[in-house]
Amino acid sequence: AWQDSDAQKWCQDFYGKSFSTGEQGAVLATTKSDAAYQASSGVRPLPYGVSQLEKDKVFFLSAEEAENSAYGFIDDDARLAYFGNGTLYGAWWLRSPVKQQGTPNAGTIHRTYGYLYGMTVSRSGYSARPAFNLDLDAVLFTSAAVGGKSATGMESGLTAVDDYTGSEWKLTLLDDSRRNFSVTETDISGDPGDTITLHY
């Protein structure tokens, strides 16, 4: 069970130590119940039990979420997680219990093939891949994770996001130092197609 598990406590600790105060303010508390779920990926797709979140800020994904294409998991390869250890990928935990197995087992993602399977919860050497829900109203700018902000520090002007086909993004969050933008011009004109510069 996710509630009161070591995994949940790890996520709570991760949230407290890894997010700044401003970032914590942009993370939404999530309450939901994922029903029992039959996985579609894997050599022998496993049934997973109910998993619940109760105002969790950071959590592991459920089996259902790990197969959700809307979250970017379009196939097994999309679930492979690189952990910076050479060319190796790591297996990572889910919060869903494995329903059919007698010993305490939780869902995991296979390190080599990316499909869902289960492992006894006492197993060491598996990785955490925490998730959270972000308050989109707290996002001021969105840019590509690499080379996305082409105006140095943004002081020299806001620039359009270049064409980007990747899936990794950098977010600039709204905080107390970025709440009040004001434009100094009171009158501006131009012809169609002109570039108009406003100072803030």
Side-chain angles (χ1 to χ4, degrees), residues 60 79-83 85 88-94 106-119 123-130:
F60 292 171
R79 284 183 285 274
L80 292 174
Y82 173 66
F83 288 98
N85 47 353
L88 300 177
Y89 293 87
W92 47 281
W93 292 106
L94 301 174
T108 56
I109 300 298
H110 194 279
R111 71 176 71 247
T112 304
Y113 302 109
Y115 55 68
L116 281 71
Y117 72 117
M119 185 56 62
R123 178 70 179 262
S124 62
Y126 279 46
S127 299
R129 193 177 186 188

Side-chain angles (χ1 to χ4, degrees), residues 35-50:
Y37 179 72
Q38 177 68 48
S40 61
S41 74
V43 178
R44 294 182 303 277
L46 294 173
Y48 293 87
V50 174

